[in-house]
């Protein structure tokens, strides 16, 4: 048996703060930063470690600024 | 063994999704949340997966996507407003070995370019038309388009589209599906992960059918124009589901006859 664990990397400077990625995440990983990037946008940020690497957020991001990684984790390690 | 950390996961060998390198590494000129960006990315993913980067020529419109040639790392010719299907006709006829597509908004394709659209479809030219329908002229400040919904507000119909005087929204996609020159006509969206994945499949089929000389493939993408609609991106996607989809239902309208 193996479980998956994921992680996303957001390109903060290219994020336009549209929030389209927030609601499509089944694990409620993403929220908006109260700080802004150099363009003045409240960029998206990771808020917990529940990512499964499902890619939903990256697929809907209009600016394609999310990169997704995923590993299989043997259950005894979890 | 210790718990798996973020650093353990973020390694090249664990990569499952990244922005395709066929999109130029620059900021897109679109407003935050605009569906044009997602449509561009799906288009370039299909071109990457089909391995046709050097065999594809696109035609960009006039509209917000006028700068598509800056973002799509393929050969792109920019056309006069509405004339993309005429230009694509010439390109495909002169270079039949190329994959050719147009990328057009609803103002471009269904207003000023109606004649070019209909006649290219009627002639059965072997290229793909990607039609971004956001029900408005986004680029020029949100004027009413032929596709604007009844009662929908736009800068040139501030009290809403009055169908008595302004006519009903033009379903040009259904219209061209009746022409024998089109082989594949479908309507999709790019605001949810499921819809994005379906759009990608539709784009791939469109390229394959038109390259196989079956005629025009038209992929309409019902999209948002949050700036023109004067909503947040998230509100605009909800509004689109509630108002655009009942009038412009998603799904295949015409598929090629089975061989
Ligand atoms: C010949 C000509 N007429 C009018 C215009 C002004 N104009 C520029 S873009 C546009 C409409 C764009 O709307 P659409 O095709 O729906 O694209 P969107 O920006 O919504 O993606 C118009 C009327 C022009 N550039 N050229
Ligand atoms: S990959 Fe899936 S689980 Fe991870 S942040 Fe994105 S939407 Fe959420
Ligand atoms: S969808 Fe993309 S651009 Fe929009 S907030 Fe999320 S990461 Fe930023
Ligand atoms: S004006 Fe509308 S169509 Fe143009 S980039 Fe902005 S949201 Fe997109
Ligand atoms: Mg438009």
């Amino acid at each position: 048996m193996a479980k998956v664990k994921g992680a996303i990397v957001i390109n903060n400077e290219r994020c336009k703060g549209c929030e389209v990625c927030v609601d499509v995440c089944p694990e409620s990983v993403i929220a908006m930063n109260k700080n802004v990037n150099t363009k003045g946008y409240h960029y998206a940020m990771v808020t917990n470690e529940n990512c499964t690497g499902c890619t939903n957020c990256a697929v809907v991001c209009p600016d394609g600024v999310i990169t997704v990684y995923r590993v299989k984790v043997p259950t005894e390690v979890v | 063994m210790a718990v798996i950390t973020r650093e353990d996961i973020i390694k090249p060998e664990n990569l499952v999704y990244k922005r395709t390198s066929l999109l130029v590494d620059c900021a897109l000129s679109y407003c935050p949340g605009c569906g044009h960006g997602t449509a561009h990315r799906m288009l370039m993913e299909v071109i990457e997966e089909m391995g046709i980067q050097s065999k594809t020529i696109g035609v960009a419109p006039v509209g917000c996507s006028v700068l598509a040639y800056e973002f799509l790392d393929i050969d792109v010719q920019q056309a006069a407003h509405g004339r993309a299907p005429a230009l694509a006709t010439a390109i495909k006829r002169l270079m039949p070995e190329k994959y050719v597509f147009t990328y057009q908004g609803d103002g471009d394709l269904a207003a000023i370019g109606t004649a070019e659209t209909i006649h290219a479809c009627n002639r059965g030219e072997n290229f793909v038309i990607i039609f971004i329908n956001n029900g408005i002229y986004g680029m020029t400040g949100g004027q009413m388009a032929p596709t604007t919904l009844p009662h929908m507000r736009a800068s040139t119909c501030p009290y809403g589209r009055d169908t008595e005087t302004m006519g009903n929204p033009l379903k040009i996609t259904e219209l061209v599906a009746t022409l024998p020159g089109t082989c594949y006509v479908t309507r999709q969206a790019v605001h949810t992960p499921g819809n994005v994945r379906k759009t990608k499949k539709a784009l791939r089929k469109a390229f394959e059918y038109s390259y196989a000389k079956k005629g025009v493939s038209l992929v309409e993408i019902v999209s948002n124009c949050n700036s023109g609609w004067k909503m947040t991106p998230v509100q605009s996607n909800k509004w689109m589901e509630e108002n655009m989809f009942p009038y412009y239902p998603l799904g295949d309208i015409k598929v090629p006859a089975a061989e």
Side-chain angles (χ1 to χ4, degrees):
Chain A
M1 259 297 280
K3 198 175 161 297
V4 288
K5 212 164 157 36
I8 60 167
V9 176
I10 299 162
N11 183 337
N12 295 342
E13 277 304 309
R14 287 272 175 82
C15 171
K16 291 180 185 162
C18 71
E19 305 187 19
V20 169
C21 55
V22 175
D23 284 347
V24 301
C25 175
E27 309 296 333
S28 305
V29 171
I30 307 171
M32 305 314 292
N33 203 309
K34 69 172 171 31
N35 298 321
V36 295
N37 60 21
T38 51
K39 290 275 185 192
Y41 294 122
H42 292 280
Y43 52 95
M45 63 177 183
V46 172
T47 61
N48 62 43
E49 295 188 350
N50 301 339
C51 177
T52 60
C54 73
T55 75
N56 274 3
C57 56
V59 164
V60 294
C61 171
D63 288 87
V65 305
I66 303 179
T67 307
V68 186
Y69 298 86
R70 184 168 60 214
V71 288
K72 280 210 178 82
V73 188
T75 27
E76 52 283 10
V77 181
V78 182
Chain B
M1 212 179 114
V3 277
I4 298 200
T5 65
R6 204 173 137 76
E7 287 64 42
D8 296 328
I9 305 170
I10 300 172
K11 287 182 178 156
E13 62 269 31
N14 302 328
L15 179 75
V16 284
Y17 192 91
K18 75 168 182 32
R19 174 180 156 130
T20 168
S21 62
L22 268 63
L23 266 186
V24 175
D25 187 17
C26 65
L28 303 174
S29 55
Y30 305 110
C31 304
C34 174
H36 271 302
T38 315
H40 282 17
R41 185 161 39 84
M42 286 309 110
L43 167 63
M44 296 321 280
E45 283 187 13
V46 166
I47 291 173
E48 179 173 40
E49 285 170 24
M50 290 177 76
I52 57 172
Q53 183 181 19
S54 59
K55 284 186 76 178
T56 304
I57 302 177
V59 184
V62 170
C64 282
S65 48
V66 65
L67 295 176
Y69 54 80
E70 297 270 8
F71 311 132
L72 313 180
D73 194 8
I74 50 169
D75 288 331
V76 181
Q77 174 70 52
Q78 203 272 315
H81 203 7
R83 312 308 182 224
L87 190 50
T89 298
I91 294 171
K92 181 66 184 178
R93 286 188 180 199
L94 290 167
M95 290 178 270
E97 73 285 2
K98 299 287 187 189
Y99 288 81
V100 177
F101 70 89
T102 72
Y103 184 103
Q104 304 175 256
D106 47 326
D108 191 85
L109 179 144
I112 194 167
T114 311
E116 283 76 7
T117 304
I118 288 179
H119 290 295
C121 288
N122 194 45
R123 292 191 306 267
E125 304 294 341
N126 293 309
F127 60 76
V128 176
I129 296 177
I130 301 165
F131 169 33
I132 309 297
N133 179 7
N134 52 20
I136 208 160
Y137 292 180
M139 184 195 204
T140 42
Q143 292 82 2
M144 189 184 84
T147 45
T148 299
L149 296 177
H151 314 299
M152 178 176 165
R153 274 196 261 261
S155 61
T156 47
C157 52
Y159 303 108
R161 181 179 186 151
D162 168 21
T163 53
E164 287 279 311
T165 52
M166 300 165 193
N168 282 287
L170 185 61
K171 294 190 185 189
I172 198 158
T173 302
E174 274 82 355
L175 202 148
V176 300
T178 64
L179 303 173
T182 52
C183 62
Y184 177 52
V185 180
T186 186
R187 185 181 284 123
Q188 303 291 336
V190 290
H191 65 309
T192 70
N195 287 108
V196 176
R197 292 181 178 113
K198 280 190 195 158
T199 295
K200 184 172 169 184
K201 287 198 181 114
L203 288 170
R204 172 133 197 176
K205 282 189 215 163
F207 275 102
E208 287 170 353
Y209 291 143
S210 292
Y211 196 74
K213 299 196 179 73
K214 291 178 192 285
V216 169
S217 296
L218 188 144
V219 180
E220 173 177 340
I221 299 173
V222 181
S223 191
N224 61 348
C225 173
N226 37 281
S227 292
W229 299 356
K230 310 211 182 301
M231 297 175 196
T232 68
V234 172
Q235 281 169 345
S236 73
N237 285 338
K238 190 157 180 289
W239 190 89
M240 178 173 73
E241 283 182 350
E242 288 168 0
N243 298 278
M244 296 283 277
F245 293 174
Y247 200 89
Y248 300 113
L250 305 187
D252 289 345
I253 296 162
K254 184 181 194 176
V255 292
E259 257 107 285

